[in-house]
Every structure is written in structure tokens, then in C-alpha cells.
Amino acid sequence: MPDLIYNCPEGKREVSLVMPKTMVGRDPSCQISLPEDHQVSRFHCVVEKRASEVYHVVDYESTNGTFLNGEKIGDRSRRLHHGDRIRVGKTVLVYSDLEKHVEEEARHDFDEISREMAGGKGYSTIFHEIVKDRQGE
């Protein structure tokens, strides 16, 4: 299950995205309430789950805007990926979805190995290349 990780005066916080929508803002009713950050609107942005466990961030017409990896998102919905940084006011929330990230990496590796095998490389050759690469890290 994905999380939003951020620092607040009480220390590091990690909020699991268990609800279909997670509101971020200064208002105490927000799932992520940031009352100490005066650059954050009462209802600043929402992180919402869409089809296939895909999460998006949407600005709620906030005064100072919502930024994803340094880019203002404006009135667009933006898909989130593991490691993305959402800035609201002075607060940065990091989107963490390690499970999906590992799954995507494995799929990418499988596709790459399949292409190499289709190109004529044998399993043993590919395996030795992987071991050699990992020893060099």
C-alpha cells in the first residue's frame, strides 16, 4: 500500500493511503493536516486512487499551488510514481509505493531479458552478464 512521507514539527510522519481520497491542507479535518504551514490552503490538494491502484494528485484551487517534482500542476491531475515529491507550501510529501516500484522493475527486467533471448542470446550468457554487472556495483 502506498504512503505519503513528510516531516512536521513532531518529526517524520508516514501516512498510508488507505482511503480512495486523501486530503492535504491546514484544516483539521484533512487526513494530512498541516496547520503550522501557513502557505498551505485549508483544503490544498487531494491524492486519489483511480483504476488499477493508480494514484493521482489534484490541486484544490489552492492559493500557492501544488508542485510535483518542482513543476506546478495547475488544474491538471498528475499520476504519481514511487519517489515523486509533492510540495504544498513549505512542506514536501514523498510518494512511496515500493511494492509497485519493485513490480515495475521486475517487469522491465523480464522484458529486457526476453528481447535479448529473442535476439539470440542464451539464458546462461544473460545470467553471467547479470552476475558480472552486480559484482561491479
Side-chain angles (χ1 to χ4, degrees), residues 9-55:
E10 295 81 31
K12 181 179 169 183
R13 289 263 172 98
E14 196 166 320
V15 175
S16 292
L17 299 175
V18 295
M19 308 281 285
K21 293 185 178 189
T22 301
M23 180 60 70
V24 179
R26 271 194 352 262
D27 195 87
S29 69
C30 293
Q31 287 81 17
I32 298 179
S33 182
L34 305 168
E36 65 285 342
D37 191 337
H38 298 289
Q39 293 181 12
V40 173
S41 297
R42 284 186 334 111
F43 300 100
H44 199 100
C45 69
V46 66
V47 174
E48 56 187 24
K49 180 167 69 170
R50 299 207 175 152
S52 303
E53 301 295 313
V54 173
Y55 286 79

Short mmCIF file of all heavy atoms in Angstrom, two decimals, residues 9-55:
data_model
loop_
_atom_site.label_atom_id
_atom_site.label_comp_id
_atom_site.label_asym_id
_atom_site.label_seq_id
_atom_site.Cartn_x
_atom_site.Cartn_y
_atom_site.Cartn_z
N PRO A 9 6.65 19.37 12.63
CA PRO A 9 7.32 19.72 13.89
C PRO A 9 7.48 18.55 14.86
O PRO A 9 8.43 18.51 15.63
CB PRO A 9 6.41 20.81 14.48
CG PRO A 9 5.77 21.44 13.30
CD PRO A 9 5.56 20.31 12.32
N GLU A 10 6.59 17.57 14.80
CA GLU A 10 6.66 16.42 15.70
C GLU A 10 7.62 15.35 15.17
O GLU A 10 7.85 14.34 15.82
CB GLU A 10 5.28 15.78 15.89
CG GLU A 10 4.27 16.67 16.59
CD GLU A 10 3.62 17.68 15.64
OE1 GLU A 10 3.46 17.38 14.43
OE2 GLU A 10 3.30 18.78 16.11
N GLY A 11 8.17 15.53 13.97
CA GLY A 11 9.09 14.56 13.38
C GLY A 11 8.56 14.01 12.08
O GLY A 11 7.62 14.54 11.47
N LYS A 12 9.15 12.91 11.65
CA LYS A 12 8.77 12.27 10.39
C LYS A 12 7.42 11.58 10.53
O LYS A 12 7.16 10.90 11.50
CB LYS A 12 9.83 11.25 10.01
CG LYS A 12 9.58 10.53 8.71
CD LYS A 12 10.72 9.55 8.44
CE LYS A 12 10.40 8.63 7.30
NZ LYS A 12 11.46 7.66 7.08
N ARG A 13 6.56 11.78 9.53
CA ARG A 13 5.24 11.15 9.50
C ARG A 13 5.13 10.30 8.24
O ARG A 13 5.63 10.69 7.19
CB ARG A 13 4.13 12.19 9.47
CG ARG A 13 3.93 12.95 10.75
CD ARG A 13 2.80 12.31 11.55
NE ARG A 13 2.69 12.88 12.86
CZ ARG A 13 1.84 13.82 13.21
NH1 ARG A 13 1.02 14.34 12.32
NH2 ARG A 13 1.81 14.27 14.44
N GLU A 14 4.42 9.19 8.37
CA GLU A 14 4.16 8.31 7.24
C GLU A 14 2.67 7.98 7.27
O GLU A 14 2.18 7.41 8.23
CB GLU A 14 4.99 7.04 7.39
CG GLU A 14 5.10 6.24 6.14
CD GLU A 14 6.19 5.18 6.22
OE1 GLU A 14 7.27 5.47 6.78
OE2 GLU A 14 5.93 4.08 5.73
N VAL A 15 1.96 8.38 6.22
CA VAL A 15 0.52 8.18 6.15
C VAL A 15 0.23 7.19 5.04
O VAL A 15 0.54 7.45 3.87
CB VAL A 15 -0.22 9.52 5.90
CG1 VAL A 15 -1.70 9.29 5.71
CG2 VAL A 15 0.05 10.49 7.03
N SER A 16 -0.37 6.05 5.39
CA SER A 16 -0.76 5.06 4.38
C SER A 16 -2.01 5.54 3.65
O SER A 16 -2.94 6.05 4.27
CB SER A 16 -1.05 3.72 5.06
OG SER A 16 0.14 3.18 5.55
N LEU A 17 -2.02 5.36 2.35
CA LEU A 17 -3.15 5.81 1.53
C LEU A 17 -4.21 4.70 1.50
O LEU A 17 -4.33 3.97 0.52
CB LEU A 17 -2.66 6.17 0.12
CG LEU A 17 -1.63 7.30 0.08
CD1 LEU A 17 -1.12 7.50 -1.33
CD2 LEU A 17 -2.21 8.59 0.64
N VAL A 18 -4.97 4.61 2.59
CA VAL A 18 -5.99 3.57 2.72
C VAL A 18 -7.35 4.02 2.18
O VAL A 18 -8.19 3.20 1.83
CB VAL A 18 -6.14 3.09 4.19
CG1 VAL A 18 -4.88 2.42 4.65
CG2 VAL A 18 -6.52 4.24 5.10
N MET A 19 -7.57 5.31 2.12
CA MET A 19 -8.83 5.87 1.64
C MET A 19 -8.74 6.11 0.13
O MET A 19 -7.65 6.33 -0.39
CB MET A 19 -9.13 7.19 2.35
CG MET A 19 -9.06 7.15 3.85
SD MET A 19 -10.52 6.44 4.56
CE MET A 19 -11.64 7.79 4.36
N PRO A 20 -9.87 6.13 -0.57
CA PRO A 20 -9.83 6.45 -2.01
C PRO A 20 -9.32 7.86 -2.27
O PRO A 20 -8.73 8.13 -3.30
CB PRO A 20 -11.28 6.31 -2.46
CG PRO A 20 -11.98 5.57 -1.39
CD PRO A 20 -11.21 5.76 -0.13
N LYS A 21 -9.55 8.77 -1.30
CA LYS A 21 -9.06 10.15 -1.42
C LYS A 21 -8.42 10.55 -0.09
O LYS A 21 -8.99 10.33 0.98
CB LYS A 21 -10.19 11.11 -1.74
CG LYS A 21 -10.78 10.90 -3.12
CD LYS A 21 -11.81 11.95 -3.45
CE LYS A 21 -12.34 11.72 -4.86
NZ LYS A 21 -13.18 12.80 -5.32
N THR A 22 -7.25 11.17 -0.18
CA THR A 22 -6.54 11.68 0.99
C THR A 22 -6.36 13.18 0.81
O THR A 22 -5.62 13.61 -0.09
CB THR A 22 -5.18 10.98 1.17
OG1 THR A 22 -5.41 9.58 1.30
CG2 THR A 22 -4.45 11.50 2.38
N MET A 23 -7.05 13.97 1.64
CA MET A 23 -6.99 15.43 1.54
C MET A 23 -5.78 15.96 2.31
O MET A 23 -5.49 15.50 3.41
CB MET A 23 -8.28 16.04 2.11
CG MET A 23 -8.33 17.55 2.05
SD MET A 23 -8.22 18.23 0.39
CE MET A 23 -9.79 17.76 -0.28
N VAL A 24 -5.11 16.93 1.71
CA VAL A 24 -3.97 17.59 2.32
C VAL A 24 -4.32 19.07 2.47
O VAL A 24 -4.79 19.70 1.51
CB VAL A 24 -2.70 17.45 1.45
CG1 VAL A 24 -1.52 18.18 2.08
CG2 VAL A 24 -2.37 15.98 1.20
N GLY A 25 -4.12 19.63 3.66
CA GLY A 25 -4.40 21.04 3.88
C GLY A 25 -4.20 21.44 5.32
O GLY A 25 -3.79 20.63 6.15
N ARG A 26 -4.50 22.70 5.63
CA ARG A 26 -4.37 23.21 7.00
C ARG A 26 -5.56 22.84 7.87
O ARG A 26 -5.46 22.83 9.10
CB ARG A 26 -4.24 24.74 6.99
CG ARG A 26 -2.84 25.23 6.86
CD ARG A 26 -2.64 26.71 7.18
NE ARG A 26 -3.84 27.49 7.39
CZ ARG A 26 -4.43 28.25 6.46
NH1 ARG A 26 -3.94 28.33 5.25
NH2 ARG A 26 -5.51 28.94 6.75
N ASP A 27 -6.70 22.56 7.27
CA ASP A 27 -7.91 22.27 8.03
C ASP A 27 -7.73 20.99 8.85
O ASP A 27 -7.18 20.01 8.36
CB ASP A 27 -9.10 22.10 7.08
CG ASP A 27 -10.42 22.16 7.82
OD1 ASP A 27 -10.94 23.28 8.00
OD2 ASP A 27 -10.91 21.08 8.22
N PRO A 28 -8.18 21.00 10.12
CA PRO A 28 -8.03 19.81 10.97
C PRO A 28 -8.76 18.57 10.44
O PRO A 28 -8.44 17.45 10.83
CB PRO A 28 -8.60 20.22 12.32
CG PRO A 28 -8.91 21.66 12.24
CD PRO A 28 -8.77 22.11 10.83
N SER A 29 -9.74 18.76 9.55
CA SER A 29 -10.46 17.60 9.02
C SER A 29 -9.69 16.87 7.92
O SER A 29 -10.08 15.77 7.51
CB SER A 29 -11.83 18.04 8.49
OG SER A 29 -11.68 18.83 7.33
N CYS A 30 -8.60 17.45 7.43
CA CYS A 30 -7.80 16.82 6.38
C CYS A 30 -7.08 15.59 6.94
O CYS A 30 -6.62 15.61 8.09
CB CYS A 30 -6.76 17.79 5.83
SG CYS A 30 -7.47 19.19 4.93
N GLN A 31 -6.97 14.55 6.12
CA GLN A 31 -6.24 13.36 6.55
C GLN A 31 -4.77 13.69 6.82
O GLN A 31 -4.16 13.12 7.70
CB GLN A 31 -6.34 12.24 5.51
CG GLN A 31 -7.68 11.55 5.45
CD GLN A 31 -8.69 12.34 4.62
OE1 GLN A 31 -8.35 13.22 3.84
NE2 GLN A 31 -9.96 12.02 4.81
N ILE A 32 -4.22 14.61 6.03
CA ILE A 32 -2.89 15.15 6.31
C ILE A 32 -3.08 16.63 6.60
O ILE A 32 -3.23 17.45 5.70
CB ILE A 32 -1.92 14.92 5.13
CG1 ILE A 32 -1.74 13.42 4.90
CG2 ILE A 32 -0.58 15.60 5.41
CD1 ILE A 32 -0.84 13.06 3.75
N SER A 33 -3.13 16.94 7.89
CA SER A 33 -3.38 18.31 8.35
C SER A 33 -2.04 18.98 8.65
O SER A 33 -1.24 18.45 9.42
CB SER A 33 -4.27 18.29 9.58
OG SER A 33 -4.54 19.60 10.00
N LEU A 34 -1.82 20.14 8.05
CA LEU A 34 -0.57 20.88 8.19
C LEU A 34 -0.85 22.28 8.74
O LEU A 34 -0.59 23.28 8.06
CB LEU A 34 0.15 20.96 6.84
CG LEU A 34 0.43 19.62 6.14
CD1 LEU A 34 0.85 19.84 4.70
CD2 LEU A 34 1.48 18.84 6.91
N PRO A 35 -1.37 22.39 9.96
CA PRO A 35 -1.77 23.70 10.49
C PRO A 35 -0.61 24.67 10.69
O PRO A 35 -0.81 25.88 10.69
CB PRO A 35 -2.43 23.35 11.83
CG PRO A 35 -1.83 22.05 12.22
CD PRO A 35 -1.56 21.32 10.93
N GLU A 36 0.61 24.15 10.82
CA GLU A 36 1.76 25.01 11.07
C GLU A 36 2.34 25.63 9.80
O GLU A 36 3.13 26.57 9.87
CB GLU A 36 2.85 24.22 11.81
CG GLU A 36 3.46 23.08 11.02
CD GLU A 36 2.61 21.84 10.89
OE1 GLU A 36 1.65 21.63 11.65
OE2 GLU A 36 2.89 21.05 9.97
N ASP A 37 1.95 25.14 8.63
CA ASP A 37 2.45 25.66 7.36
C ASP A 37 1.43 26.67 6.81
O ASP A 37 0.44 26.30 6.19
CB ASP A 37 2.68 24.52 6.37
CG ASP A 37 3.45 24.97 5.13
OD1 ASP A 37 3.42 26.17 4.80
OD2 ASP A 37 4.06 24.10 4.47
N HIS A 38 1.71 27.95 7.02
CA HIS A 38 0.75 28.99 6.65
C HIS A 38 0.70 29.28 5.15
O HIS A 38 -0.14 30.07 4.70
CB HIS A 38 1.05 30.27 7.44
CG HIS A 38 0.90 30.05 8.91
ND1 HIS A 38 -0.32 29.86 9.51
CD2 HIS A 38 1.82 29.92 9.90
CE1 HIS A 38 -0.16 29.65 10.80
NE2 HIS A 38 1.13 29.67 11.07
N GLN A 39 1.56 28.62 4.37
CA GLN A 39 1.49 28.75 2.91
C GLN A 39 0.57 27.69 2.30
O GLN A 39 0.35 27.67 1.10
CB GLN A 39 2.89 28.64 2.31
CG GLN A 39 3.77 29.82 2.68
CD GLN A 39 5.15 29.71 2.04
OE1 GLN A 39 5.37 28.89 1.15
NE2 GLN A 39 6.07 30.53 2.48
N VAL A 40 0.05 26.81 3.15
CA VAL A 40 -0.85 25.75 2.70
C VAL A 40 -2.29 26.24 2.87
O VAL A 40 -2.65 26.80 3.91
CB VAL A 40 -0.61 24.46 3.51
CG1 VAL A 40 -1.65 23.40 3.19
CG2 VAL A 40 0.79 23.92 3.26
N SER A 41 -3.11 26.01 1.86
CA SER A 41 -4.53 26.37 1.94
C SER A 41 -5.27 25.41 2.86
O SER A 41 -4.78 24.31 3.14
CB SER A 41 -5.17 26.32 0.54
OG SER A 41 -4.56 27.27 -0.31
N ARG A 42 -6.46 25.81 3.31
CA ARG A 42 -7.25 24.94 4.21
C ARG A 42 -7.48 23.58 3.56
O ARG A 42 -7.33 22.55 4.20
CB ARG A 42 -8.60 25.59 4.55
CG ARG A 42 -8.46 26.69 5.56
CD ARG A 42 -9.78 27.29 6.07
NE ARG A 42 -10.92 27.21 5.18
CZ ARG A 42 -11.99 26.45 5.40
NH1 ARG A 42 -12.07 25.69 6.47
NH2 ARG A 42 -13.00 26.45 4.56
N PHE A 43 -7.86 23.55 2.31
CA PHE A 43 -8.01 22.32 1.53
C PHE A 43 -7.13 22.51 0.29
O PHE A 43 -7.55 23.11 -0.68
CB PHE A 43 -9.47 22.07 1.16
CG PHE A 43 -10.35 21.93 2.36
CD1 PHE A 43 -11.13 22.99 2.80
CD2 PHE A 43 -10.37 20.75 3.08
CE1 PHE A 43 -11.93 22.87 3.92
CE2 PHE A 43 -11.16 20.61 4.21
CZ PHE A 43 -11.94 21.68 4.63
N HIS A 44 -5.91 22.04 0.36
CA HIS A 44 -4.88 22.38 -0.63
C HIS A 44 -4.89 21.46 -1.85
O HIS A 44 -4.95 21.91 -2.99
CB HIS A 44 -3.50 22.36 0.04
CG HIS A 44 -2.47 23.10 -0.73
ND1 HIS A 44 -2.07 24.38 -0.41
CD2 HIS A 44 -1.75 22.74 -1.81
CE1 HIS A 44 -1.15 24.77 -1.28
NE2 HIS A 44 -0.94 23.79 -2.14
N CYS A 45 -4.78 20.15 -1.60
CA CYS A 45 -4.77 19.18 -2.71
C CYS A 45 -5.29 17.84 -2.20
O CYS A 45 -5.46 17.65 -0.99
CB CYS A 45 -3.37 19.02 -3.31
SG CYS A 45 -2.17 18.19 -2.25
N VAL A 46 -5.54 16.95 -3.13
CA VAL A 46 -6.02 15.62 -2.77
C VAL A 46 -5.21 14.59 -3.56
O VAL A 46 -4.85 14.82 -4.71
CB VAL A 46 -7.54 15.47 -3.04
CG1 VAL A 46 -7.86 15.54 -4.51
CG2 VAL A 46 -8.08 14.20 -2.44
N VAL A 47 -4.90 13.49 -2.88
CA VAL A 47 -4.29 12.34 -3.55
C VAL A 47 -5.39 11.30 -3.65
O VAL A 47 -5.97 10.91 -2.63
CB VAL A 47 -3.07 11.81 -2.77
CG1 VAL A 47 -2.54 10.54 -3.40
CG2 VAL A 47 -1.98 12.88 -2.71
N GLU A 48 -5.69 10.89 -4.88
CA GLU A 48 -6.81 9.97 -5.05
C GLU A 48 -6.41 8.72 -5.82
O GLU A 48 -5.58 8.77 -6.72
CB GLU A 48 -7.99 10.66 -5.73
CG GLU A 48 -7.69 11.29 -7.06
CD GLU A 48 -8.86 12.10 -7.59
OE1 GLU A 48 -9.71 12.56 -6.81
OE2 GLU A 48 -8.90 12.30 -8.82
N LYS A 49 -7.03 7.61 -5.40
CA LYS A 49 -6.80 6.33 -6.06
C LYS A 49 -7.76 6.22 -7.23
O LYS A 49 -8.95 6.44 -7.08
CB LYS A 49 -7.00 5.19 -5.07
CG LYS A 49 -6.77 3.83 -5.70
CD LYS A 49 -6.67 2.70 -4.70
CE LYS A 49 -7.97 2.42 -4.02
NZ LYS A 49 -7.95 1.18 -3.23
N ARG A 50 -7.22 5.83 -8.36
CA ARG A 50 -8.04 5.63 -9.55
C ARG A 50 -7.96 4.15 -9.94
O ARG A 50 -7.44 3.34 -9.20
CB ARG A 50 -7.56 6.53 -10.67
CG ARG A 50 -7.69 8.01 -10.25
CD ARG A 50 -7.86 8.91 -11.40
NE ARG A 50 -8.09 10.27 -10.93
CZ ARG A 50 -7.76 11.33 -11.61
NH1 ARG A 50 -7.18 11.21 -12.79
NH2 ARG A 50 -8.02 12.53 -11.14
N ALA A 51 -8.45 3.82 -11.09
CA ALA A 51 -8.47 2.43 -11.54
C ALA A 51 -7.08 1.80 -11.48
O ALA A 51 -6.07 2.48 -11.63
CB ALA A 51 -9.00 2.37 -12.97
N SER A 52 -7.05 0.52 -11.24
CA SER A 52 -5.82 -0.27 -11.24
C SER A 52 -4.79 0.21 -10.22
O SER A 52 -3.59 0.17 -10.48
CB SER A 52 -5.18 -0.28 -12.63
OG SER A 52 -6.07 -0.77 -13.58
N GLU A 53 -5.27 0.69 -9.08
CA GLU A 53 -4.37 1.10 -8.00
C GLU A 53 -3.40 2.21 -8.42
O GLU A 53 -2.28 2.29 -7.94
CB GLU A 53 -3.59 -0.09 -7.46
CG GLU A 53 -4.44 -1.21 -6.92
CD GLU A 53 -5.25 -0.83 -5.68
OE1 GLU A 53 -4.68 -0.22 -4.77
OE2 GLU A 53 -6.44 -1.14 -5.66
N VAL A 54 -3.82 3.06 -9.34
CA VAL A 54 -3.00 4.19 -9.78
C VAL A 54 -3.43 5.41 -8.98
O VAL A 54 -4.62 5.68 -8.83
CB VAL A 54 -3.19 4.43 -11.30
CG1 VAL A 54 -2.50 5.70 -11.74
CG2 VAL A 54 -2.69 3.23 -12.09
N TYR A 55 -2.45 6.16 -8.47
CA TYR A 55 -2.74 7.34 -7.65
C TYR A 55 -2.38 8.61 -8.41
O TYR A 55 -1.41 8.65 -9.15
CB TYR A 55 -1.95 7.28 -6.34
CG TYR A 55 -2.51 6.26 -5.39
CD1 TYR A 55 -2.23 4.90 -5.55
CD2 TYR A 55 -3.35 6.64 -4.36
CE1 TYR A 55 -2.76 3.96 -4.68
CE2 TYR A 55 -3.89 5.70 -3.49
CZ TYR A 55 -3.59 4.36 -3.66
OH TYR A 55 -4.13 3.43 -2.81
#
